[in-house]
Amino acid sequence: MGWITQARGEGTQVDAPQGTIRSYAPATGELLGEVPVMDAERVRDAVARARRAQEAWALLPIEERCERIRRFRDEIVRRADEVVELIARECGKPKAEALTHEVFITADLATWYAREAPRILAPRELDLHLLKHRRAEVLYAPRGVVGIISPWNFPFVIPMGDVLAALVAGNGVVLKPSEVTPLIALKAKELYDAAGLPDDLFSVVTGDGKTGAALIDAGVDKVVFTGGVETGRKVAAACGERLIEATMELGGKAPVIVCDDADLERAARAVVFGGFANSGQVCIGVERVYAQGGIYDRLVERVVALTRELRQGDPLGDVDLGAIIFPPQIDNATRLIEDAVSRGAQLRCGGGRPDREGQFFEPTVLTGCGHDMAVMREEIFGPIVPIMRVTDDEEAIALANDSHLGLAAYVFSADRERARAIAERVRAGMVLVNDVVIGYAVSEAPFGGVKASGYGKIHGAESLRGMCEAKHLGTERIPMPARDPFWFPYQPAMVSGMRRALRAVYARGTLGERIGRLFG
């Protein structure tokens, strides 16, 4: 059984008899629409149609593909208001976040990919150090059809970043959105069609977990999955069994290290923003804070004060925090808070559901936390900021690395060299100094985690090249004789000559080794 958002947080379900999913606004309980649960046959058909369309798309010059992607970008920009409103309603996030975190970043990714892809994916000649009589190039060929399985917390920017990279690189795309937020993906498809891009090249298949499994089984050439660790393990296993290339962007438990010399006001505001943006439902959001003793008390007081100033309510109104998208996250938040308090943590503000209709949870600050508490070790994915006192940089680094996850981390210090030294020792795919979250918006930079946070990269040149198969094309610089001296039959002279060459070129202290160091 899959999951969808249901009115008033009463639970989620798929309407199995009719094979439909109903999407409700988490802030109001309003029914927003219905989508079908697509079976394996419909998924296979979508992949087959994408493959046929991709054959012609891949033959277009990359500059032409990029120009068409710009048209798609233009349609997103032109109709940004309706996209923002739908995101706010179906996700329950403030319109300000829907605009800046989703639509704006998507438009920038489209712009950057369209501008840089011809350079990044151009044939690249290698400077051969040994076989100088050969010429070697690396070509980047489209994989074919890319299957994308996307999450509910950022249902526009996360899948569309991958869709754009795949299309620019010459692939077809089939997107399976989360069953919690399916309407936003369909809106993206509507904008794609309005931009006049090829039919069937990009399609959306709606449904539950079985639909996602069917997409992996339908013969796609790459899978990009964003979601939880446990589901990611199943997706990775399914891809591995079929020998399908996969990118896994999984959970995060981002630490913030606040050094005793940090700018108190900036650090406090960063903790509040990073912890409560999108009501904490951010894979790179602030999930644990390690504040050194010299700044701990002042940081706590300022974080609590700023948290109490936050406005929570109707995401279409003038608010800072909206609703919880996925109802089980409310139960998870409650469990983590109860565990922490039972182990000695202090509840400084928030801690429960406000007295209002909808799937809301108060922004919560816990202090006096320790690593024996689940809130410091498990992914929260909700509006809770746990703060722990540490003695020095070494303890902070050790605790920051004491996690099975490694997606993002943040360091605050007035000393840039000190901050950099700490950042280099924290195991995470992205570490920011004196900032939070914004690294995802850097289109040029690769994004992805280490440890159980996944593998592979999205964004940047790595994303575009990852959507391609790297092919070595080798040609001759000079004509070679019909009888190559290294081919059959092997001659004693060739063996003795190669033995002398091996020693002359690679043995330490030889003329060949010294020349190699000089020129290579």
Side-chain angles (χ1 to χ4, degrees):
M1 178 170 287
W3 294 98
I4 62 162
T5 308
Q6 180 107 330
R8 297 173 179 81
E10 296 169 356
T12 57
Q13 63 180 22
V14 169
D15 188 358
Q18 285 74 40
T20 60
I21 294 174
R22 292 176 178 172
S23 176
Y24 294 88
T28 64
E30 172 193 4
L31 176 62
L32 300 176
E34 298 183 1
V35 300
V37 176
M38 296 186 179
D39 60 19
E41 182 178 355
R42 294 184 68 179
V43 174
R44 285 194 299 270
D45 180 64
V47 172
R49 287 186 284 110
R51 191 171 299 284
R52 289 192 293 270
Q54 184 269 338
E55 292 175 359
W57 177 252
L59 293 176
L60 291 176
I62 189 169
E63 292 80 7
E64 175 62 22
R65 296 200 300 264
C66 291
E67 180 55 35
R68 298 195 187 190
I69 291 301
R70 289 188 184 95
R71 290 187 216 162
F72 188 14
R73 184 272 319 274
D74 293 344
E75 195 66 21
I76 292 171
V77 172
R78 186 177 72 82
R79 298 170 61 180
D81 288 346
E82 61 186 89
V83 178
V84 166
E85 181 164 347
L86 179 58
I87 294 173
R89 294 175 72 198
E90 192 171 36
C91 287
K93 67 176 64 179
K95 291 175 71 173
E97 293 183 353
L99 175 61
T100 58
H101 300 174
E102 301 239 36
V103 177
F104 194 98
I105 295 176
T106 300
D108 187 68
L109 282 167
T111 303
W112 189 82
Y113 285 144
R115 186 180 70 234
E116 300 296 334
R119 174 184 61 82
I120 293 170
L121 298 182
R124 180 165 54 94
E125 185 169 356
L126 302 177
D127 182 15
L128 299 182
H129 76 285
L130 180 62
L131 304 177
K132 295 294 187 179
H133 65 292
R134 302 289 303 172
R135 183 172 185 264
E137 295 177 90
V138 177
L139 308 183
Y140 296 99
R143 291 185 179 275
V145 178
V146 177
I148 297 172
I149 303 175
S150 64
W152 44 260
N153 60 326
F154 287 92
F156 192 76
V157 68
I158 288 179
M160 294 315 298
D162 298 326
V163 167
L164 291 164
L167 290 175
V168 165
N171 299 285
V173 181
V174 178
L175 165 62
K176 191 276 175 187
S178 168
E179 51 268 49
V180 180
T181 53
L183 302 182
I184 295 163
L186 293 176
K187 173 62 71 173
K189 170 61 172 169
E190 179 185 326
L191 301 181
Y192 170 92
D193 291 338
L197 274 76
D199 293 340
D200 299 330
L201 183 68
F202 166 47
S203 61
V204 176
V205 292
T206 55
D208 54 17
K210 292 181 180 178
T211 309
L215 178 59
I216 298 172
D217 202 37
V220 294
D221 302 288
K222 175 168 181 167
V223 170
V224 181
F225 173 82
T226 306
V229 174
E230 292 310 310
T231 304
R233 294 183 193 278
K234 297 175 183 177
V235 171
C239 291
E241 182 180 351
R242 293 159 179 79
L243 296 179
I244 299 173
E245 175 79 14
T247 294
M248 297 281 124
E249 200 272 89
L250 308 179
K253 187 66 181 172
V256 178
I257 296 174
V258 184
C259 299
D260 48 16
D261 66 346
D263 180 326
L264 174 65
E265 187 67 13
R266 181 162 181 84
R269 289 186 178 275
V271 166
V272 172
F273 172 72
F276 300 129
N278 200 27
S279 293
Q281 300 161 112
V282 184
C283 59
I284 55 174
V286 171
E287 288 253 339
R288 48 196 172 122
V289 180
Y290 302 106
Q292 295 183 5
I295 202 172
Y296 177 89
D297 292 330
R298 291 178 294 139
L299 179 73
V300 165
E301 294 307 315
R302 191 62 183 134
V303 167
V304 170
L306 290 170
T307 301
R308 287 175 174 159
E309 295 175 2
L310 295 175
R311 302 160 298 171
Q312 185 175 44
D314 183 352
L316 298 178
D318 188 18
V319 298
D320 303 306
L321 271 72
I324 299 296
I325 305 169
F326 190 37
Q329 296 307 119
I330 294 175
D331 297 333
N332 187 58
T334 302
R335 176 184 64 85
L336 292 173
I337 292 169
E338 290 176 350
D339 173 79
V341 171
S342 72
R343 296 175 185 274
Q346 294 83 51
L347 180 62
R348 298 298 299 269
C349 61
R353 301 186 64 171
D355 185 17
R356 64 179 304 135
E357 182 183 41
Q359 296 166 189
F360 291 90
F361 198 90
E362 297 168 328
T364 301
V365 177
L366 293 167
T367 60
C369 296
H371 262 225
D372 62 327
M373 302 174 186
V375 75
M376 296 295 289
R377 304 190 67 83
E378 299 178 16
E379 187 173 24
I380 302 169
F381 228 65
I384 304 173
V385 169
I387 307 177
M388 178 176 177
R389 186 194 299 267
V390 295
T391 57
D392 54 23
D393 295 358
E394 291 300 319
E395 183 182 13
I397 293 168
L399 291 171
N401 287 332
D402 184 18
S403 174
H404 69 293
L405 299 171
L407 189 57
Y410 311 108
V411 181
F412 284 80
S413 171
D415 185 336
R416 290 185 181 180
E417 291 189 6
R418 177 187 185 185
R420 182 183 179 90
I422 294 172
E424 289 180 351
R425 294 176 59 192
V426 174
R427 287 200 65 200
M430 177 184 79
V431 185
L432 303 184
V433 172
N434 294 329
D435 212 334
V436 293
V437 179
I438 192 67
Y440 186 86
V442 181
S443 296
E444 298 88 343
F447 179 85
V450 299
K451 298 189 278 189
S453 287
Y455 52 83
K457 300 294 182 181
I458 63 172
H459 298 181
E462 285 86 348
S463 179
L464 288 172
R465 289 176 177 159
M467 294 294 181
C468 298
E469 295 171 341
K471 178 187 298 184
H472 168 204
L473 174 62
T475 56
E476 58 185 14
R477 291 188 184 276
I478 58 175
M480 296 295 291
R483 181 173 178 176
D484 193 296
F486 294 99
W487 294 356
F488 299 138
Y490 297 137
Q491 299 293 330
M494 184 272 286
V495 175
S496 60
M498 288 304 297
R499 185 181 296 113
R500 290 194 298 272
L502 176 70
R503 293 169 179 166
V505 175
Y506 299 112
R508 289 184 180 274
T510 63
L511 177 61
E513 196 262 350
R514 292 196 297 272
I515 293 174
R517 286 203 307 268
L518 181 63
F519 292 100

